[in-house]
Amino acid sequence: KKKLNPELPRVERILDVPEAERVCPTDGTRLEHFADDVSEQLAFRPAQAEVIRTIVKKYACPCCKGYIKSQPVPPSILPKSNASASVLAQIATAKFVDGLPLYRQEKQWDRLGVSISRGTMAGWMITLGTESVVPVINLLNDQLLAEPVIHCDETPLQVLKSDKAPSAPHWMWVRAAGSPGRRIVLFDYDAS
């Protein structure tokens, strides 16, 4: 059978003979440890949701009552949203890497005791794609254009909600470049 990934964290469960039973029943000699039998099983810890409460302590001068001091709040990917970077990464990975639609993710979050509508998740993904990750995409595009060879593919696709007729083609371009360990793949869409 295939070996388990050595980089996965290990939790040891040690089964040891009680101290009182480490005696030979034949002659009463104290038993000595000579070997360990080790077996491994892959375990899964189900996902869980938690709330991160950020508490900003504020201090004021008791004399002048005009000077207030506090630490700045860490920046958020989506300001004024209750979604952390880890939640956004989970939703984006499930949708765009694993192909899991938002209506199924909505049910998964419900099982964790969290109510996030698919409309809210869709809004988050649109905001991420149109605002938050644009600087990263621009950097990737610059690196891709610096490569000596770029692979491109132009594919027509059907888009149901568009200014054009549903049967009219829209276009998707895929550009890829880079070595296997540092592959850059960018998608571009246009209705014309």
Side-chain angles (χ1 to χ4, degrees):
K1 75 186 148 179
K2 199 172 182 181
K3 296 261 185 196
L4 295 175
N5 183 349
E7 294 178 15
L8 289 174
R10 284 348 195 223
V11 176
E12 289 189 351
R13 180 175 58 177
I14 299 172
L15 305 177
D16 202 353
V17 177
E19 191 72 37
E21 296 178 21
R22 295 183 197 170
V23 177
C24 178
T26 308
D27 59 9
T29 306
R30 183 104 180 106
L31 299 179
E32 294 179 356
H33 177 260
F34 74 97
D36 291 329
D37 286 334
V38 179
S39 64
E40 291 186 332
Q41 288 182 321
L42 184 63
F44 176 73
R45 184 173 294 151
Q48 64 184 45
E50 63 184 9
V51 176
I52 299 171
R53 293 183 69 210
T54 303
I55 301 168
V56 179
K57 301 276 189 182
K58 294 184 176 184
Y59 296 89
C61 175
C63 297
C64 70
K65 305 213 188 281
Y67 181 72
I68 297 175
K69 180 74 174 168
S70 66
Q71 288 293 92
V73 178
S76 175
I77 292 177
L78 296 180
K80 299 183 181 177
S81 168
N82 63 357
S84 69
S86 63
V87 167
L88 297 171
Q90 171 59 33
I91 293 168
T93 302
K95 177 166 179 49
F96 299 111
V97 177
D98 300 333
L100 191 63
L102 294 177
Y103 77 91
R104 287 189 186 162
Q105 290 191 51
E106 182 179 30
K107 291 176 184 176
Q108 287 181 333
W109 286 105
D110 279 341
R111 286 194 299 270
L112 293 172
V114 179
S115 178
I116 306 175
S117 74
R118 66 187 89 167
T120 299
M121 288 188 276
W124 289 344
M125 294 300 103
I126 290 168
T127 303
L128 284 176
T130 57
E131 297 172 15
S132 302
V133 299
V134 170
V136 175
I137 292 171
N138 291 340
L139 287 172
L140 288 170
N141 187 56
D142 292 346
Q143 287 183 359
L144 183 130
L145 293 175
E147 291 291 329
V149 176
I150 300 173
H151 302 277
C152 295
D153 178 58
E154 178 182 69
T155 304
L157 56 104
Q158 184 180 13
V159 176
L160 297 178
K161 291 187 179 180
S162 170
D163 294 336
K164 296 166 69 173
S167 60
H170 295 245
W171 300 94
M172 177 71 70
W173 292 274
V174 182
R175 298 175 293 143
S179 60
R182 298 179 44 86
R183 196 90 162 137
I184 297 171
V185 180
L186 294 177
F187 295 85
D188 296 298
Y189 163 78
D190 201 295
S192 65

